[in-house]
Amino acid sequence: MSLIDKTFSPADFEQRIYARWEAEGAFRPSRPDAQPFTIIIPPPNVTGSLHIGHALDNSLQDVLIRYHRLRGRDARWVVGTDHAGIATQMVVERQLAESTQGTTRQAMGRAAFLETVWDWKRTSGDTITRQLRRLGASCDWAHERFTMDDGFNIAVTRVFVQLYNEGLLYRDKRLVNWDPKLKTAISDLEVETREVAGTFTHIRYPLADGVTLASGADHIIVATTRPETMLGDTAVAVNAGDARYQSVIGKYVRLPITGRLIPIVADDHADPELGSGAVKITPAHDFNDFEVGKRHAMVPINIFDADARIIAADGIPADYVGMDRFDARKKVVADLDVLGLVALIEAKTIQMPYGDRSGVVVEPWLTDQWYVNAAELAKPAMEAVRSGATQFVPKTWEKTYFNWMENIQPWCVSRQLWWGHQIPAWYGPDGQCFVAESEADAQALAGNLALVRDEDVLDTWFSSALWPFATLGWPDDTADLARHYPGDVLVTGFDIIFFWVARMMMQGLHFMDGEVPFKTVYCHGLVRDAKGAKMSKSKGNTVDPLVLIDKYGADALRFTLTAMESQGRDIKLDEKRVEGYRNFATKLWNAARFCEANGIAASTSPVPPAAGHAVNRWIIGEVAATAAGLDAAIAAFRFDAYADTIYQFVWNRFCDWYLELTKPLLAEGGDAAVAAETRAVTGWALDQILVMLHPVMPFLTEELWHKLGQREGDLIVAAWPDAAALPTDATASADIEWLIGLISEVRSARMELNVPPGAKLGYSVEGASPVVVSRLAGHAAAIAWLARITPAPAPFGGTRLQLVHAEATYALPLEGVIDLAAERARLEKARAAAEKERDALAGRLNSPGFVEKAKPEAIEKARADHEARSAEAERLGAALARLG
RNA sequence: GGGCGCGUAGCUCAGCGGUAGAGCACUGCCUUCACACGGCAGGGGUCACAGGUUCAAACCCUGUCGCGCCCA
């Protein structure tokens, strides 16, 4: 047995312990007959590093995995990383730009660029997985996956081809959100709408052919936040019911600058209440206008290239061509102004779409892209949640899920990037499309046509959506799949319900014969700084979990995040909390040192030792209650309750009372049998603490587990206490609660009267029931040790400290130094409190309706409490009377 | 505009129908033979506001005010 060091220093053992667990395969012990418990990790970006959000997400998952592993289940935490298409490609491109050569991917070519990304993945790809190990995450590393490994590539291709053949995935020309910086299409979800200060430009469009409005005006005023798009206008729309414009429907306006004639059409999109009631229609660059254009069979006029620069479209003057969209905007307004056509420019807060990765304004742009029929796939995904096959925790997120799913749009899955799964589609010379799992298969479909493969790759989330089954070997029919699909719980942030959770639901149900990918989705909140601000690098308020781990230990960080996780609410992380839980770890460490120094060692059995002494019987019952509380917390996904329950037990019960109450029992000269029993029970209880705390503080508990004695195996695979099977003793419990109450009363009274802490006093007791008399005798040593009072029968009266506890009155002589006024004040205060409660209870008992309508337990309790408070008030009154 | 959530001790949060809780912070005492990253004791809350339901409301219902998030 090794001695427990005087100082608790987590850095000394955390990494050593983790390495041993991993080397021994402890994260996934062979349990072929056990019920599986499966969690799939939200795969972190392969080139990322661990941020505090990961720390939270993975701490919670590890708590669940370790708990169920301790409960004997075949716990498997499926792990791996995501290739993170756009994010990774951006990182590598930035590096290329900043490198000495200052090159670009276009200059390198696709093959060379991809080789560079793979190199980067190989060199930095294990950063995050190393950091997850520092956190203590007990993942199944032996089967680590990557969304671009060979097996995953097969799965992605299979899914793409099958969805295509089922008509659920198709190529279409429609407006997409185009990111002119990244030069790729992005999905609706990757667009974030921001409110920015902009302008609303009112433009006069001259009516052609001499027609006029009802007002006599020779022009129509339209207003726009994006004047440059007028170069691509194909119509002006007015509402059919708008009297102002009746006369011009079907007529034309002469579009300024371009000189084109465009029709005035009637369409409900034009709202008479808004602005002039007339709107310009640019089908190629506005989602609403695109729909208007379709209704009126207009041919959209695209005015931008991929960089959002003006192209030589119909009627656009040559001096505009090649101009950036924002420069073009200024020029359009200037040119219109020269023509006298700018009616008004007003400042206005406008909603602008931005690319979430690039941060530039997204352009609606007409291109050919691949789409998934999400609305169709969403049907079973919604039904699965409605039926309860998959449940969200907290339940409120189900509403969010339904709300989005019910309004789901076609999912644009093609990206004009290089890093990712290249789309398995080939084109013939005339654009004929062949979708197949391999070029050979495509060629077989195409016959003799020369084929060219689609250049684009798939949205990263397309592959992430397959994570719950592709990681388990799909499309092969594997044993892993049979055993671990569906997963038990998915733990993730609410912010990726749409991106990821919903899509896993859709793909999982579709490709796994209607089986959901997971039974429960636990959504946690965001980690914010201590003041509640969102953490961001630009604000400089980020907290690096590894810095906290270095400073306080991984266990303290894990405990903090677990304790602060109360069902989905955002976490405001204050380093003081981490410090506090490090102190808790230290407390337990020192308690274990104390045990070791007192000859208390590892217990040999999960069954509690036979115990006769009340304090020992009591602590065994307390362990049972704690285990039951922890079981309930896990069942309800109350991580905060889990942390709180074990914290209170360890510190406020085990350390503060049990270890203190048993000190006299272990003292020299005591009953050897009782001492032996106490050592055995203490060792057992400490073992149970280590087991019960292990899911949250795995390193510290494993270290102590071995320091306390020879073990057959590691704590990580030890046995969780069976709460229902542990003996509880109500009598012993009442006994010890009485004892704790008495000691607390005595201490409190001593403090209030400034009795020197070390002073030992005698006491007399009056009104003690036989039970109390026997308890006073039985616990005399503990009372002497902790309350510093010993029996010294003496007549009541005179200058004594008096206190009332459990219907008995105790009197402690103070050798004449008692401050009578202070003692009187103390007793008065206690009596007033007792009387106040007594009266409140009487009021309730006498109030009409209470006795007739309240629950019997409530009435019973009120009566008992009333009686106790009355008796207490009387005894305190008697004590006051004796003071004189 | 639609939806969701939150306003409880100085701070961060539990509690969600039967006498207001925790951690931190604060005050006092204690270098007592596990622990000063500690021990013991203590102060501090008209549970945002206004109505309603109930024998009983921090808790349920309605409304108001304030704050946050998501979607359009």
Side-chain angles (χ1 to χ4, degrees), chain A residues 119-137:
Chain A
D119 280 345
W120 165 247
K121 188 255 175 193
R122 275 186 285 268
T123 55
S124 74
D126 62 347
T127 300
I128 191 139
T129 53
R130 252 192 353 258
Q131 293 172 328
L132 281 171
R133 287 173 167 94
R134 286 293 312 278
L135 186 68

Side-chain angles (χ1 to χ4, degrees), chain A residues 42-357:
Chain A
N45 291 357
V46 65
T47 55
S49 54
L50 192 84
H51 58 64
I52 195 74
H54 291 123
L56 168 66
D57 192 53
N58 291 293
S59 292
L60 301 180
Q61 289 174 76
D62 202 38
V63 168
L64 294 173
I65 281 285
R66 286 180 186 270
Y67 170 82
H68 284 106
R69 192 187 289 117
L70 288 168
R71 296 209 57 160
R73 290 178 68 173
D74 177 16
R76 178 163 183 191
W77 189 0
V78 178
V79 71
T81 50
D82 193 290
H83 67 281
I86 291 183
T88 304
Q89 179 163 324
M90 278 176 73
V91 168
V92 176
E93 284 194 84
R94 195 181 311 127
Q95 287 192 333
L96 288 174
E98 288 166 359
S99 70
T100 45
Q101 294 91 343
T103 187
T104 64
R105 73 179 158 108
Q106 287 82 0
M108 294 176 77
R110 186 166 187 143
F113 177 74
L114 287 179
E115 199 38 58
T116 305
V117 183
W118 277 108
D119 280 345
W120 165 247
K121 188 255 175 193
R122 275 186 285 268
T123 55
S124 74
D126 62 347
T127 300
I128 191 139
T129 53
R130 252 192 353 258
Q131 293 172 328
L132 281 171
R133 287 173 167 94
R134 286 293 312 278
L135 186 68
S138 58
C139 308
D140 181 20
W141 297 110
H143 301 95
E144 185 181 340
R145 297 298 302 269
F146 177 52
T147 52
M148 279 174 68
D149 65 27
D150 291 342
F152 230 96
N153 291 339
I154 290 169
V156 168
T157 307
R158 175 70 57 89
V159 165
F160 188 96
V161 172
Q162 188 178 324
L163 288 175
Y164 176 81
N165 289 334
E166 291 170 339
L168 291 168
L169 187 152
Y170 53 91
R171 195 164 166 78
D172 196 10
K173 190 189 217 36
R174 40 181 287 164
L175 284 189
V176 290
N177 301 294
W178 182 262
D179 187 317
K181 183 177 174 193
L182 300 172
K183 280 183 266 192
T184 179
I186 55 178
S187 75
D188 299 342
L189 288 177
E190 291 159 274
V191 176
E192 74 183 50
T193 307
R194 296 188 205 159
E195 283 202 336
V196 295
T199 55
F200 211 38
T201 307
H202 300 246
I203 308 170
R204 297 191 186 95
Y205 278 6
L207 289 157
D209 308 319
V211 298
T212 55
L213 301 183
S215 66
D218 63 351
H219 61 268
I220 290 183
I221 290 182
V222 294
T224 178
T225 58
R226 305 198 51 201
E228 74 282 9
T229 61
M230 62 84 67
L231 298 171
D233 280 2
T234 60
V236 169
V238 297
N239 195 285
D242 193 334
R244 291 170 293 180
Y245 301 111
Q246 287 292 331
S247 61
V248 298
I249 291 171
K251 305 288 197 265
Y252 293 84
V253 299
R254 177 72 66 185
L255 187 65
I257 300 177
T258 70
R260 285 190 282 114
L261 276 180
I262 58 172
I264 298 161
V265 300
D267 193 285
D268 285 345
H269 175 56
D271 181 349
E273 305 293 319
L274 287 180
S276 68
V279 290
K280 61 191 277 304
I281 301 298
T282 321
H285 299 293
D286 181 281
F287 287 98
N288 286 316
D289 293 3
F290 185 75
E291 296 304 318
V292 176
K294 273 210 303 211
R295 286 198 284 275
H296 298 275
M298 296 171 195
V299 178
I301 298 175
N302 175 37
I303 64 165
F304 291 129
D305 65 11
D307 292 304
R309 282 192 298 253
I310 304 292
I311 58 172
D314 189 5
I316 295 179
D319 55 348
Y320 276 90
V321 176
M323 194 175 266
D324 175 78
R325 52 186 166 162
F326 298 113
D327 295 333
R329 178 176 304 172
K330 287 184 200 135
K331 183 167 166 58
V332 162
V333 174
D335 288 353
L336 289 171
D337 200 32
V338 167
L339 295 168
L341 298 176
V342 177
L344 174 69
I345 297 178
E346 58 177 322
K348 202 177 172 194
T349 301
I350 54 176
Q351 315 271 327
M352 291 292 282
Y354 286 80
D356 66 353
R357 291 282 175 187

Side-chain angles (χ1 to χ4, degrees), chain A residues 70 603-609 619-620 623-624 626-627 630 642 646 649-650 654 680-695 701 705 711 715 718-722 726:
Chain A
L70 288 168
S603 64
T604 49
S605 160
V607 177
I619 199 67
I620 291 167
V623 167
T626 302
L630 297 176
Y642 190 102
I646 191 66
F649 177 64
V650 171
F654 184 76
V681 171
T682 307
W684 174 84
L686 183 56
D687 273 5
Q688 305 320 304
I689 284 172
L690 297 180
V691 174
M692 295 188 294
L693 182 58
H694 181 262
T701 51
W705 179 257
R711 305 284 187 170
L715 174 59
W720 184 263
D722 180 353
L726 292 173

Side-chain angles (χ1 to χ4, degrees), chain A residues 42 53 56-57 60-61 392 397 490-501 521-527 565 568 570:
Chain A
L56 168 66
D57 192 53
L60 301 180
Q61 289 174 76
F392 279 77
W397 292 113
L490 177 77
V491 179
T492 192
F494 66 80
D495 50 326
I496 55 172
I497 290 176
F498 303 151
F499 278 110
W500 193 47
V501 179
V521 179
Y522 182 82
C523 296
H524 58 248
L526 265 39
V527 183
E565 175 56 28
D570 283 354

Side-chain angles (χ1 to χ4, degrees), chain A residues 452-463:
Chain A
V452 178
R453 185 166 186 178
D454 195 313
E455 293 267 303
D456 293 347
V457 301
L458 287 163
D459 180 5
T460 299
W461 299 104
F462 188 90
S463 48

Side-chain angles (χ1 to χ4, degrees), chain A residues 663-671 675 679:
Chain A
K663 276 177 182 173
L665 303 182
L666 300 175
E668 303 234 351
D671 183 324
R679 285 196 176 86

